[in-house]
Each structure stands twice: as structure tokens, then as C-alpha cells.
């Protein structure tokens, strides 16, 4: 829980130099990668008329063993599709089916059939008998108020020569009053929701590749309380398992029985903070069990917040008779500040199975620890034209692969990688065998890179795929034996992996931030792409200048731009692309960054790829190397195409007539509007909104603080949505 002043509380992990804070990092306000996907991922949402959609699961129950090390995404995804809604839902307190009380019935209006293979390549059909439904009054449960004759929905249907399973009912009789969305079992998921974050970046030395992270954000990447109230504190993320058969065994035989099956344990590993924000002492991570008999959740385990430590193992015995039922579930949840991306917990390697003991904390498994990484020597990506034109070898000579032995005995393991050009293998890495690896020890191999990426494509941009492999035999979990990397050759240089775990800043008026780049060839710098993440101080009114240096010591400035203002992205770590006023010829080593004016700005910091030696800042008269590990999200661009989408939609063609004058302008611009109510946007040529206002007649814009260049004046009728666009040249 956070009840302190933002200026003190949010800006953590700082370094004190010369008696005052110069550098620091801050938590992010939200997760913009999830916000980009929020229209596709959700558990429930409100209908336009205020109605709530209720999800109904079909055959969505798992048998033991339940194993998820989070190296793959086994969260259930929810895509709202109106074709998957029950066409007619009747809501009553109770009803009778052929004289028997039931809680639920899926029915068809026409005769339904049960189909079985006949052994001759076809199917035999048997008509199901009708059922008679008596609907009881909500007031008097003994009074029949309506009747129906329907047929029970069957699980199979023949269309042509195709058998379709789990087809939708014409009518569903239920005891609750919401529109029902059918969620069929896709056959692989472990978790019934996706509130926690499945990722490969927040765990600090995870047990295997990937973790589930709990924080203060919902499944769309937005704070549960977006008002930024520091006192907002509640249950935040809940990660709930799918129902589990804990009575019926998967292959028949006797049922699970708490008196006999005393070896059923749930195990997992947990870690506070990881590479994120440390939970406070009154924050916690908890585990609960659900009993179908009592229809209640019961607390089973919890841990109080604190600083990061290695992943710790937890064993929880499942022995209470109330849990030995089909439909048993377990869930993890965290109590956290819900006004931002706070109070991180990571869990790893969840396993529920029988025939275990309290000491059974390991599996016969050796798994990769890290996501796939670039095979280019210095960068995660670089311009395709630079790679093709370079006469030197830009590939790494070897690539390191880390892995962990999760077994209770020592093991051998081999590792390698393979590079592909759109499915065709082009080269690989040497197969390396580790010396004997002790139980739960981390090992690593360096595989020789036996080739280079071909330079034959004439495309403007290109990409390759790399698969990283680890092998140990025997091995009970093959999910974590492979990691993937998408090697992009676009139009820009980048050290980061495309995601930011924190926001970096320098606190001083006039401070400068620079990132070093060694260019493969001489070229013309056309733009600089910077990720300005949302944190807990708005920075959109804090001016900065794009800076380019040939040298920092002695300092040699190649470019100091006009003033710009940070623009927030619309999702998936989108950058603000700043096209330079004039292309800048550069070669060799350059330094690209910003100069802030009177207040600090925030820049995305990727904490998984450490290029600390390339990051510099200047306060006063001396350049210093950054004290924070990671990669700053500042990317120089050399092509004419920005591979990152802008955070606004393309503007429509001109539909409304209006006047902008004077044009060109250096101070103020008058916008003469038609009759109506309008929103007026001044956009850069990349589409970012520089200024915005609303008016109904005449509007005057002050553009004296806007950098020189070509802009678009866009008007939008707030009543009709129609738009109009005029070009505007600003000169100083």
C-alpha cells in the first residue's frame, strides 16, 4: 500500500551524486503492450445496454497432472464473438425437466440426433426423445407458469461428411440472468482467466523460461484504479485454474479418495519484485482452494511483501475431503496498490499431481532460462541497408545459452540454435554439452555461430527467425526446451527488446541523455524514435530537444533541434518518431539522445538487456556513464519508413472546408471554422497531436513554441464526426 507523496514514493532506486539526486527510475503507470491487445483479451465486459456477459464453459475441466512452468502461454483467451452467444436465454429461479429439478438445460427446438460411427465410414443416427420443461414461478416455486417441449442438445452434429462437436444450443435454461457466451475447451489451457501477466521479462533468474506476474494492473494493462489515488489498495490480479477432476481418475478405476490418496500436493515457486517494483510489507501473495461441495474459497498460503530474493519453493498438501470432487480449483491472488504497475510478484513452475511427498520439489527437467536473443554482435536490430552494405562480419562469433537443472540429481545437457529464413534453415550453432550439472544449478553453454544472415533480399526490411534448443534425456517437460527470437532488420538501430520494465529519468534542468551507436556504414540520419512511457508525472508539457553528438569527450555537437514535446503511445511500446528538420549525414560512432529543458522527462528502460556502458547523462559540465543496468529506448532511424506504427489513426480525406491563416506562420494561426462544434488538432507529419483545442467559431493557435516544419491542421465535427484537413508550414 502506498500512502506517501508521489515525488518521494514513486521515484525509487535512485543514485545520490554530489549531494542530490541526478538519476533515477520510476514504475510505469500501465502496461501499454496489454492495452494494445485489450480488445481481444478479457474475462467479462459490459454490454451496450448495461447487461453483463456471463461465460459458460463447455467440457473445460482438466485431469491430473496439472503442470505449468509458464514457458508457454496456457492462459485462456476470451474473444467476444456474437456468433458464440446463446440465441435465446430464459431466466427462472427453477424448472423441471421431465418432472426432475435441474439447474441447467441446453436444448434444441427441433429433433436432435445422436450420431455414432457405423464401421463403414459413415454414421448411424438415433433420434433423441423430447423432454418436457415446466418453468416455475419466481415467487411461488411450486407454481408452473410456462411449459416447453424441446430436445436435449447433443454433442455431435454431421454437416456433409464433417462431424461438428459442441454445437450451440437453441435455448439454454439457466438460473441466472445474463447473456451467456459459450467458451469451448480449446484443449490446452491450464488457467481459466488471464488477469496475471504471462511474460518472459519480469522474473529475476526464473526457475525456467517465463513467469506469471501479479501487479496492480488489470488484464488490459490499465490500473484497477486509474485515478492514481495512492491509497487505493485491494485484491488485484487473480489467476484461477480451470476446474480439475479430483474425484474421477483420467483412465477410470477407483476414484480419488482423501483417505487413500494422501500424496496429492500442489507445488510452485514464488519471488517478490523480480525486475519490477518491490511489494511493501503489507502487500501479499496468497493461494486459495475451492471446494465444489461448499462452493467456497479457503485461504491456504500467503507471503508478505519485501525486496527481491531467489525463487522459493512452496508445497501445499491437498488432503481435506471437501476438495476431493470434480470441479476442484485453486487460485493465486495478490493484495496490492492498484493505482499503477506496482507491487510485483512472480510465480513459476506450478504443479499439482498425485504420488508425491512434501520433499518432491523437483522434476526431471532441464529448461532454458532466457528468451531468444539477437545474433547480431551489438544490437537487437539494425537497418537492413546497413547490414547489407557492411563489409565486416556483424554476427556474433558465439551465443550463450543459459539453462537450469530442476531435477534432484545431477544431469548432462546439450544446447544449440538454428536460424531460419522463412522456414528454410540457413545456419546453426554448434551443439555444446555442459559438464555435469548439479541439482537446481544454473549452467550455460556458448555455441559457435556457424554462418551469417544472407544479404540477398532486395526488400526494404527483412527478418529471420532463430530457435534456441536445450536437450537432456530423459526430460519430463519439453515445453521449456525451446526459445524463439525474431531477428528484425528494419530502418533503425536498437539495443532494447521492444518492451520497457521501468521509466528512466535525470533530475536537473538542462540535463542531457545520450546513447552510443557505432554505425556499420556512413548514412543520413532521418529520424529519432523515443519511447516516452506513462509514469506518475505528466510530461506532455515538458519540452525537449533532439541531440546528436559526434563525441562526448571532448563534446562535439552535430545537431540540436527545435523544441518538441513528448507524446504518449497508444500501445505496445509505440515510440514518438521525430523526423529531423534536415537529414543529418553521420558515420562511425555517434551519440543520440535528448536535452530536457526545465523539468525531467521519462524514457523507457528495458531491464532485460544490459547496455549500461552505452548510456550516458550530463548534469552541469560533465558527462557520466549511467549507474542503471538496461537499455534506453532511444533509436536512431536511417530509412524513410518508420517500422513502428504511430499512436493515432490515419486521418480521413478532406470533407469539411475551413480556412487557416496566415500560412506560413511563425507565431499565431487563426482557424476559421464552419458553423458547429469542433475539435481542432495540430498534428505532426507522423500523426502525433502537438496541440488540441475545441471551438465553435474562430480559433487562434499559438505556434511560437512549435518546432519549424510541415504540420496538419485537422478539424473534426463533434456532432457528425466529419473531418477536414489543411497543411500548415511553421517557420521561425
Amino acid at each position: 500500500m502506498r500512502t506517501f507523496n508521489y515525488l518521494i514514493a514513486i521515484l525509487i532506486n535512485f543514485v545520490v551524486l554530489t549531494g542530490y539526486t541526478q538519476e533515477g527510475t520510476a514504475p510505469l503507470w500501465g502496461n501499454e503492450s496489454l492495452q494494445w491487445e485489450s480488445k481481444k483479451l478479457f474475462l467479462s465486459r459490459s454490454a451496450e445496454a448495461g447487461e453483463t456477459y456471463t461465460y459458460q464453459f463447455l467440457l473445460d475441466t482438466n485431469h491430473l497432472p496439472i503442470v505449468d512452468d509458464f514457458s508457454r502461454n496456457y492462459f485462456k483467451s476470451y474473444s467476444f464473438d456474437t456468433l458464440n452467444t446463446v440465441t435465446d436465454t430464459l431466466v427462472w429461479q427453477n424448472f423441471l425437466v421431465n418432472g426432475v429439478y435441474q439447474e441447467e438445460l441446453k436444448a434444441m427446438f427441433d429433433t436432435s440426433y445422436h450420431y455414432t460411427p457405423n464401421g463403414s465410414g459413415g454414421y448411424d443416427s438415433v433420434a433423441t426423445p423430447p423432454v418436457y420443461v415446466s418453468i416455475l414461478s419466481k415467487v411461488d416455486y411450486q407454481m408452473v407458469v410456462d411449459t416447453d417441449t424441446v430436445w436435449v442438445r447433443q454433442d455431435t452434429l454431421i454437416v456433409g461428411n464433417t462431424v461438428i462437436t459442441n454445437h450451440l444450443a437453441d435455448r439454454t435454461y439457466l438460473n441466472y440472468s445474463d447473456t451467456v457466451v459459450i467458451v469451448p475447451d480449446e484443449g490446452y489451457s491450464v488457467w481459466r482467466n488471464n488477469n496475471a501477466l504471462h511474460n518472459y521479462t519480469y522474473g529475476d533468474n526464473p526457475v525456467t523460461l517465463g513467469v506469471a506476474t501479479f501487479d496492480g494492473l488489470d488484464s488490459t494493462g490499465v490500473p484497477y484504479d486509474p485515478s492514481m489515488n495512492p491509497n487505493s489498495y485491494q485484491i488485484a490480479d487473480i489467476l484461477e485454474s480451470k476446474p480439475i477432476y479430483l474425484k474421477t481418475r483420467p483412465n477410470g478405476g477407483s476414484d480419488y479418495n482423501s483417505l487413500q490418496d494422501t500424496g496429492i500436493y500442489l507445488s510452485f515457486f514464488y519471488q517478490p519484485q523480480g525486475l519490477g517494483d518491490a511489494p511493501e510489507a503489507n502487500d501479499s501473495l496468497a493461494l486459495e482452494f475451492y471446494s465444489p461441495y461448499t462452493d467456497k474459497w479457503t485461504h491456504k498460503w500467503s507471503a508478505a511483501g519485501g525486496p527481491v530474493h531467489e525463487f522459493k519453493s512452496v508445497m501445499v498438501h491437498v488432503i481435506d475431503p471437501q476438495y476431493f470432487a470434480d470441479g476442484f480449483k485453486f487460485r493465486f491472488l495478490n493484495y496490492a496498490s492498484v493505482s499503477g504497475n506496482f507491487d510485483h510478484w512472480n510465480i513459476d513452475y506450478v504443479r499439482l499431481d498425485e504420488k508425491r511427498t512434501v520433499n518432491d520439489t523437483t522434476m526431471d527437467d532441464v529448461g532454458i532460462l532466457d528468451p531468444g536473443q539477437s545474433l547480431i554482435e551489438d544490437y537487437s536490430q539494425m537497418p537492413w541497408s546497413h547490414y547489407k552494405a557492411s563489409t565486416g562480419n556483424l554476427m556474433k562469433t558465439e551465443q550463450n545459452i543459459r539453462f537450469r537443472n530442476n531435477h534432484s540429481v545431477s544431469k548432462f545437457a546439450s544446447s544449440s540454435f538454428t536460424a531460419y529464413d522463412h522456414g528454410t534453415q540457413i545456419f546453426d550453432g554448434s551443439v555444446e554439452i555442459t559438464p555435469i550439472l548439479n541439482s537446481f544449478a544454473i549452467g550455460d553453454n556458448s555455441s559457435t555461430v556457424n554462418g551469417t544472415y544472407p544479404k540477398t533480399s532486395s526488400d526494404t526490411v527483412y527478418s529471420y527467425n532463430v530457435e534456441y534448443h536445450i536437450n537432456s534425456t530423459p526430460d519430463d517437460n519439453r515445453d521449456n526446451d525451446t526459445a524463439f527470437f525474431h531477428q528484425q532488420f528494419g530502418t533503425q538501430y536498437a539495443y532494447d527488446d521492444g518492451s520497457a520494465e521501468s521509466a528512466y529519468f535525470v533530475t536537473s534542468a538542462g540535463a542531457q541523455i545520450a546513447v552510443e551507436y557505432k554505425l556499420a556504414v556512413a548514412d543520413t540520419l532521418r529520424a529519432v524514435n523515443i519511447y516516452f512511457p506513462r509514469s506518475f508525472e505528466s510530461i506532455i508539457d515538458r519540452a525537449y530537444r533532439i541531440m546528436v553528438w559526434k563525441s562526448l569527450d571532448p563534446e562535439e555537437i552535430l545537431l540540436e533541434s527545435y523544441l518538441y514535446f513528448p507524446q504518449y503511445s497508444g500501445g505496445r511500446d509505440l515510440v514518438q518518431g521525430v523526423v529531423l528538420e534536415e537529414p543529418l549525414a553521420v558515420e562511425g560512432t555517434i551519440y543520440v539522445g535528448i536535452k530536457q529543458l526545465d523539468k525531467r522527462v521519462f524514457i523507457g528502460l528495458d531491464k532485460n538487456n544490459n547496455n549500461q556502458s552505452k548510456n550516458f547523462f550530463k548534469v552541469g559540465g560533465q558527462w557520466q556513464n549511467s549507474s542503471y543496468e538496461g537499455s534506453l529506448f532511444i533509436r536512431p532511424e536511417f530509412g524513410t519508413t518508420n517500422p513502428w506504427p504511430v499512436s493515432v489513426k490515419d486521418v480521413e480525406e478532406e470533407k469539411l472546408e475551413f480556412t487557416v491563416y496566415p500560412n506560413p506562420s511563425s507565431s499565431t494561426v487563426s482557424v476559421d471554422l464552419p458553423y458547429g462544434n469542433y475539435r481542432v488538432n495540430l498534428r505532426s507529419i507522423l500523426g502525433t497531436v502537438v496541440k488540441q483545442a475545441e471551438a465553435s467559431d474562430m480559433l487562434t493557435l499559438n505556434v511560437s513554441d512549435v518546432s519549424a516544419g510541415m504540420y496538419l491542421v485537422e478539424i473534426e465535427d463533434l456532432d457528425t464526426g466529419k473531418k477536414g484537413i489543411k497543411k500548415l508550414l511553421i517557420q521561425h
Side-chain angles (χ1 to χ4, degrees), residues 38 41-47 51-55 57 77-80 178-179 181 183 192-195 218-220:
S38 63
L41 302 177
F42 56 87
L43 178 58
S44 63
R45 77 180 204 188
S46 296
E51 187 179 24
T52 299
Y53 293 110
T54 299
Y55 288 88
F57 298 87
S77 297
Y78 297 84
S79 299
F80 182 74
D178 293 321
T179 298
V181 179
V183 182
R192 200 171 185 176
N193 62 356
N194 49 42
N195 294 100
D218 65 19
S219 61
T220 67

Side-chain angles (χ1 to χ4, degrees), residues 22 144 208 221 270 279 317 355 506 630:
Q22 292 184 314
V144 176
T208 64
Y270 78 97
H317 201 182
K355 299 178 182 179
V506 177

Side-chain angles (χ1 to χ4, degrees), residues 368-481:
I368 290 178
L369 286 187
D370 306 312
Q373 299 186 14
S374 171
L375 293 180
I376 299 299
E377 180 62 47
D378 295 317
Y379 303 106
S380 62
Q381 64 172 285
M382 65 180 297
W384 180 230
S385 59
H386 286 207
Y387 177 77
K388 291 177 63 177
S390 173
T391 58
N393 180 16
L394 302 179
M395 305 290 295
K396 293 179 179 177
T397 58
E398 59 183 19
Q399 178 68 293
N400 191 57
I401 303 174
R402 293 198 312 153
F403 43 86
R404 187 194 295 268
N405 178 15
N406 292 305
H407 197 23
S408 57
V409 299
S410 299
K411 300 201 67 174
F412 291 96
S414 63
S415 60
S416 62
F417 63 84
T418 307
Y420 295 91
D421 181 358
H422 297 80
T424 301
Q425 180 175 337
I426 49 178
F427 65 87
D428 58 18
S430 61
V431 178
E432 301 295 332
I433 300 178
T434 183
I436 191 166
L437 189 61
N438 293 331
S439 175
F440 242 86
I442 295 176
D444 64 326
N445 287 334
S446 293
S447 294
T448 303
V449 179
N450 297 320
T452 61
Y453 291 122
K455 302 180 179 181
T456 54
S457 173
S458 60
D459 293 347
T460 304
V461 298
Y462 208 70
S463 64
Y464 298 94
N465 292 314
V466 184
E467 293 185 7
Y468 289 87
H469 315 283
I470 185 75
N471 183 53
S472 179
T473 303
D475 192 297
D476 291 340
N477 181 11
R478 293 297 182 184
D479 278 358
N480 56 31
D481 290 352

Side-chain angles (χ1 to χ4, degrees), residues 97-118:
V97 178
N98 287 346
V100 178
Y101 287 99
Q102 288 193 200
E103 296 293 324
E104 179 180 316
L105 173 68
K106 303 179 184 69
M108 313 296 291
F109 292 139
D110 299 320
T111 303
S112 61
Y113 297 87
H114 181 67
Y115 296 87
T116 56
N118 59 18

Side-chain angles (χ1 to χ4, degrees), residues 538-591:
S538 176
I539 62 172
I540 59 175
D541 61 345
R542 300 181 181 181
Y544 72 94
R545 300 181 189 274
I546 293 292
M547 302 289 295
V548 181
W549 299 266
K550 178 60 180 175
S551 170
L552 298 182
D553 186 19
E555 185 170 5
E556 181 181 346
I557 298 175
L558 297 178
L559 171 69
E560 182 171 354
S561 76
Y562 297 111
L563 294 180
Y564 292 94
F565 292 89
Q567 295 292 324
Y568 291 142
S569 71
R572 197 172 291 284
D573 289 351
L574 295 182
V575 298
Q576 178 182 9
V578 178
V579 177
L580 303 185
E581 293 85 354
E582 295 290 339
L584 178 66
V586 291
E587 63 179 348
T589 299
I590 62 172
Y591 300 82

Side-chain angles (χ1 to χ4, degrees), residues 6-308:
Y6 280 129
L7 296 179
I8 303 295
I10 307 288
L11 304 177
I12 59 173
N13 303 326
F14 55 87
V15 173
V16 178
L17 298 173
T18 64
Y20 61 94
T21 303
Q22 292 184 314
E23 266 189 309
T25 60
L28 305 178
W29 177 81
N31 188 325
E32 291 175 343
S33 296
L34 290 180
Q35 293 164 35
W36 184 251
E37 299 290 343
S38 63
K39 291 185 179 180
K40 296 195 296 183
L41 302 177
F42 56 87
L43 178 58
S44 63
R45 77 180 204 188
S46 296
E48 292 181 1
E51 187 179 24
T52 299
Y53 293 110
T54 299
Y55 288 88
Q56 182 182 94
F57 298 87
L58 298 181
L59 305 177
D60 211 18
T61 305
N62 286 336
H63 280 286
L64 296 183
I66 307 298
V67 179
D68 191 3
D69 67 345
F70 303 105
S71 57
R72 300 290 181 266
N73 190 344
Y74 291 138
F75 291 8
K76 181 175 282 294
S77 297
Y78 297 84
S79 299
F80 182 74
D81 185 350
T82 55
L83 296 178
N84 282 339
T85 56
V86 176
T87 57
D88 187 9
T89 301
L90 293 182
V91 180
W92 304 96
Q93 292 300 320
N94 218 329
F95 55 89
L96 299 171
V97 178
N98 287 346
V100 178
Y101 287 99
Q102 288 193 200
E103 296 293 324
E104 179 180 316
L105 173 68
K106 303 179 184 69
M108 313 296 291
F109 292 139
D110 299 320
T111 303
S112 61
Y113 297 87
H114 181 67
Y115 296 87
T116 56
N118 59 18
S120 302
Y123 298 86
D124 292 331
S125 62
V126 177
T128 55
V131 295
Y132 304 97
V133 180
S134 299
I135 301 168
L136 305 181
S137 170
K138 292 182 180 181
V139 178
D140 182 357
Y141 294 165
Q142 303 303 314
M143 181 181 296
V144 176
V145 297
D146 199 1
T147 60
D148 269 334
T149 300
V150 294
W151 285 261
V152 175
R153 178 192 69 95
Q154 294 296 327
D155 289 336
T156 57
L157 180 69
I158 303 298
V159 178
N161 294 321
T162 303
V163 177
I164 299 177
T165 61
N166 297 334
H167 57 278
L168 299 178
D170 291 332
R171 173 170 289 174
T172 299
Y173 300 83
L174 299 167
N175 287 330
Y176 46 90
S177 58
D178 293 321
T179 298
V180 176
V181 179
I182 298 298
V183 182
D185 181 22
E186 75 296 296
Y188 67 86
S189 62
V190 172
W191 308 99
R192 200 171 185 176
N193 62 356
N194 49 42
N195 294 100
L197 173 65
H198 175 266
N199 69 96
Y200 304 105
T201 60
Y202 275 100
D204 188 2
N205 277 334
V207 180
T208 64
L209 175 68
V211 295
T213 300
F214 297 74
D215 51 33
L217 309 179
D218 65 19
S219 61
T220 67
V222 174
Y224 286 98
D225 180 3
S227 69
M228 298 187 184
N229 180 358
N231 297 317
S232 294
Y233 181 79
Q234 66 181 50
I235 295 175
D237 290 335
I238 299 176
L239 183 61
E240 179 182 326
S241 74
K242 289 167 56 174
I244 300 164
Y245 289 106
L246 214 54
K247 178 181 179 183
T248 305
R249 292 183 182 274
N251 298 315
S254 60
D255 290 341
Y256 294 113
N257 188 313
S258 63
L259 298 178
Q260 301 172 7
D261 297 288
T262 59
I264 297 181
Y265 281 84
L266 173 67
S267 63
F268 60 93
F269 294 83
Y270 78 97
Q271 178 188 63
Q273 184 177 353
L275 296 179
D277 178 58
E280 280 74 39
N282 53 352
D283 299 324
S284 62
L285 177 71
L287 169 70
E288 296 180 343
F289 285 175
Y290 171 79
S291 168
Y293 293 129
T294 64
D295 192 25
K296 293 181 179 179
W297 289 93
T298 304
H299 176 87
K300 287 296 177 181
W301 170 91
S302 63
V308 64

